Amino acid sequence: MTSLDLLSPSVSGEYRSKCDLNLFNAVECKELATQAAKGRHFKVLMTTITEKAVQVRLCEDGYIAWLPLSEISQLEPAETAYQPNSLSRDEIELRLPEIIAFTKVAMEQPNYYLWGGTIGPNYDCSGLMQKAFAMSGIWLPRDSYQQEDFTQRIDKNDLLPGDLIFFGEQRVNHVALYLGDGYYIHSSGKEQGRNGIAIDVFSNQGDEVSRRYYNKFWSCGRVIKSYADCR
């Protein structure tokens, strides 16, 4: 019997996580890609199985990653398939204050930047954005460049609290949440950021970290819907 034999058949074709799980970016399962909180829905891609891991797709954001076979027992059949929320922009706007509040509370907890972190207290940039919106029933894609493509493009002069600001050079590789009054909150790395969640000014008049990110400004986006995987 292999670890995969412990996976019970699922009538819905999906599974739910019984605990928080780490998912990886390659079959060797060495580098964290994302995390799946207890209760997330999975599709197990049976065509991509090795002795070490199985490839899975998270239903809420369509993200594909590797789950170690040693953790397969932490999946249980989902009685019903995941149903994405269908929210209007007006409904999303009503939830923006609690989304902003979530990020500020997260900042007050001891934390550091964690590549692949989406559960907390340690997040990467897009992981913090995804978790903040998900806690209010709104799903974003996993990575910052995917979030940039998913949102409605707006001019930086039209930024409103709850909009996203994207940064990068060759492509988008960082995202922040606009708070209003020229400030944003984000989780930035140790080498070029603040090694965790912090508030920075969206200007070239700020400190070294703020200026560094401002000089890498890419675009701004507005969340107008919740993600729904079409596959």
Side-chain angles (χ1 to χ4, degrees), residues 133-158:
F133 278 84
M135 290 298 289
S136 292
I138 304 162
W139 278 98
L140 304 180
R142 170 63 185 95
D143 293 328
S144 58
Y145 72 93
Q146 296 171 326
Q147 293 174 2
E148 196 261 352
D149 185 61
F150 177 74
T151 53
Q152 181 184 78
R153 188 71 57 86
I154 59 172
D155 188 272
K156 67 179 180 180
N157 295 315
D158 297 326

Side-chain angles (χ1 to χ4, degrees), residues 102-118:
F102 176 90
T103 62
K104 291 182 176 179
V105 170
M107 181 178 66
E108 296 303 318
Q109 310 305 311
N111 70 90
Y112 59 85
Y113 181 87
L114 176 64
W115 179 273
T118 64

Side-chain angles (χ1 to χ4, degrees), residues 85 87 90-107 123 128-139 161-162 177-179 185:
N85 286 333
L87 299 171
D90 288 341
E91 291 173 311
I92 290 173
E93 285 182 6
L94 293 175
R95 304 182 188 198
L96 293 178
E98 64 186 27
I99 291 168
I100 291 172
F102 176 90
T103 62
K104 291 182 176 179
V105 170
M107 181 178 66
Y123 299 93
L128 175 62
M129 298 300 105
Q130 188 184 63
K131 181 62 176 291
F133 278 84
M135 290 298 289
S136 292
I138 304 162
W139 278 98
L177 181 70
Y178 187 64
L179 300 176
I185 189 168

Side-chain angles (χ1 to χ4, degrees), residues 16-192:
R16 285 168 54 92
S17 56
K18 295 189 286 186
C19 64
D20 296 344
L21 292 172
N22 289 331
L23 303 177
F24 298 86
N25 68 357
V27 65
E28 295 80 12
C29 295
K30 293 181 179 180
E31 185 175 83
L32 189 66
T34 193
Q35 295 174 309
K38 180 181 178 180
R40 289 286 302 269
H41 278 241
F42 290 72
K43 286 188 176 180
V44 177
L45 306 182
M46 294 297 186
T47 57
T48 48
I49 304 168
T50 73
E51 294 180 356
K52 292 184 178 180
V54 60
Q55 205 168 41
V56 297
R57 183 167 68 234
L58 292 168
C59 298
E60 296 87 350
D61 59 10
Y63 199 77
I64 294 176
W66 290 91
L67 174 70
L69 284 182
S70 59
E71 299 293 329
I72 203 74
S73 62
Q74 300 304 321
L75 301 184
E76 61 184 2
E79 294 182 3
T80 58
Y82 169 73
Q83 295 295 322
N85 286 333
S86 178
L87 299 171
S88 68
R89 171 60 189 176
D90 288 341
E91 291 173 311
I92 290 173
E93 285 182 6
L94 293 175
R95 304 182 188 198
L96 293 178
E98 64 186 27
I99 291 168
I100 291 172
F102 176 90
T103 62
K104 291 182 176 179
V105 170
M107 181 178 66
E108 296 303 318
Q109 310 305 311
N111 70 90
Y112 59 85
Y113 181 87
L114 176 64
W115 179 273
T118 64
I119 292 177
N122 308 310
Y123 299 93
D124 65 16
C125 63
S126 55
L128 175 62
M129 298 300 105
Q130 188 184 63
K131 181 62 176 291
F133 278 84
M135 290 298 289
S136 292
I138 304 162
W139 278 98
L140 304 180
R142 170 63 185 95
D143 293 328
S144 58
Y145 72 93
Q146 296 171 326
Q147 293 174 2
E148 196 261 352
D149 185 61
F150 177 74
T151 53
Q152 181 184 78
R153 188 71 57 86
I154 59 172
D155 188 272
K156 67 179 180 180
N157 295 315
D158 297 326
L159 275 168
L160 296 174
D163 289 335
L164 301 182
I165 305 174
F166 299 97
F167 305 86
E169 292 177 305
Q170 301 301 316
R171 74 168 189 173
V172 171
N173 58 17
H174 191 70
V175 60
L177 181 70
Y178 187 64
L179 300 176
D181 299 321
Y183 290 90
Y184 61 85
I185 189 168
H186 61 148
S187 181
S188 58
K190 184 175 182 179
E191 293 184 2
Q192 299 187 12

